[in-house]
Amino acid sequence: MRILYALAPVALFAGAPAAAQTFKPAVVTTNISPLESLWHMRAALNVAALGCRDADEGSTVAAYNQLIRNQGTQLAAASAAVAAHYKAQYGTAWQDALDRDMTKLYNYFAQPTAQGEFCNTAKAVLAQVATVDPARLTDFAVEELPALEAPFWSPSDAQVAAEPAPNAVVAIAAAVPVAPSDFER
């Protein structure tokens, strides 16, 4: 996962050119392993269950809880994969690094400027995930994560995200105990 850090909050762009005003700090989830995609999808759907307060709130929470109950084994594998990578990369400081990066991931999906569209997309993903065979959940996450991210990107942002960022920070990958080939796309 590449994490792009904003140099200034969006509020500081007042009076800046329109292109600068569309910039949003973001967690870019390209070039991540399938298990990371699953963990990111779960994080996005958790944000939806916690933050999408509308007439469908009860259904959204129930669908998220059903995901946790029905896909627990796959989600535990994704969590273990992410934790193992952080342990390998950060040693004894792994938990702090993981907490920092997961906070950024959650904050990304909680950006208020796109919550309406995000909540609609998350509800659609939650409705679909209820029918996904556990053996196919990781593939489903890889397919659906871009849709969950889309509300936070303008078309120009999506082009920027598709290009490698020279100052990007690489984080998260691996699994316990999974072969490195499992993380190749």
Side-chain angles (χ1 to χ4, degrees):
M1 169 180 78
R2 295 181 303 160
I3 300 174
L4 303 178
Y5 297 95
L7 298 176
V10 174
L12 295 178
F13 288 119
Q21 292 176 10
T22 63
F23 177 78
K24 297 178 180 100
V27 176
V28 180
T29 56
T30 57
N31 299 320
I32 61 173
S33 73
L35 284 174
E36 285 178 281
S37 293
L38 175 54
W39 195 245
H40 286 207
M41 181 188 77
R42 188 221 45 90
L45 296 176
N46 183 242
V47 169
L50 294 170
C52 295
R53 301 295 176 225
D54 57 18
D56 298 327
E57 177 180 343
S59 297
T60 303
V61 171
Y64 177 77
N65 288 337
Q66 181 181 2
L67 166 67
I68 299 303
R69 280 190 306 275
N70 294 348
Q71 305 284 10
T73 301
Q74 290 72 20
L75 294 172
S79 176
V82 172
H85 173 73
Y86 274 81
K87 288 175 184 177
Q89 185 171 1
Y90 295 102
T92 58
W94 76 272
Q95 188 67 59
D96 289 341
L98 177 62
D99 291 347
R100 177 199 66 224
D101 290 347
M102 290 299 104
T103 297
K104 289 176 184 176
L105 182 64
Y106 274 79
N107 286 342
Y108 170 73
F109 287 115
Q111 292 177 75
T113 56
Q115 283 306 293
E117 187 179 347
F118 168 71
C119 289
N120 290 335
T121 302
K123 287 186 261 186
V125 171
L126 280 166
Q128 293 173 20
V129 79
T131 64
V132 174
D133 181 282
R136 199 176 119 43
L137 184 63
T138 302
D139 293 336
F140 176 80
V142 169
E143 294 164 8
E144 294 302 320
L145 187 58
L148 290 164
E149 295 173 337
F152 303 101
W153 291 95
S154 69
S156 61
D157 292 333
Q159 286 178 325
V160 171
E163 298 172 9
N167 60 349
V169 176
V170 178
I172 309 179
V176 174
V178 181
S181 62
D182 291 340
F183 297 101
E184 298 173 3
R185 283 191 143 177

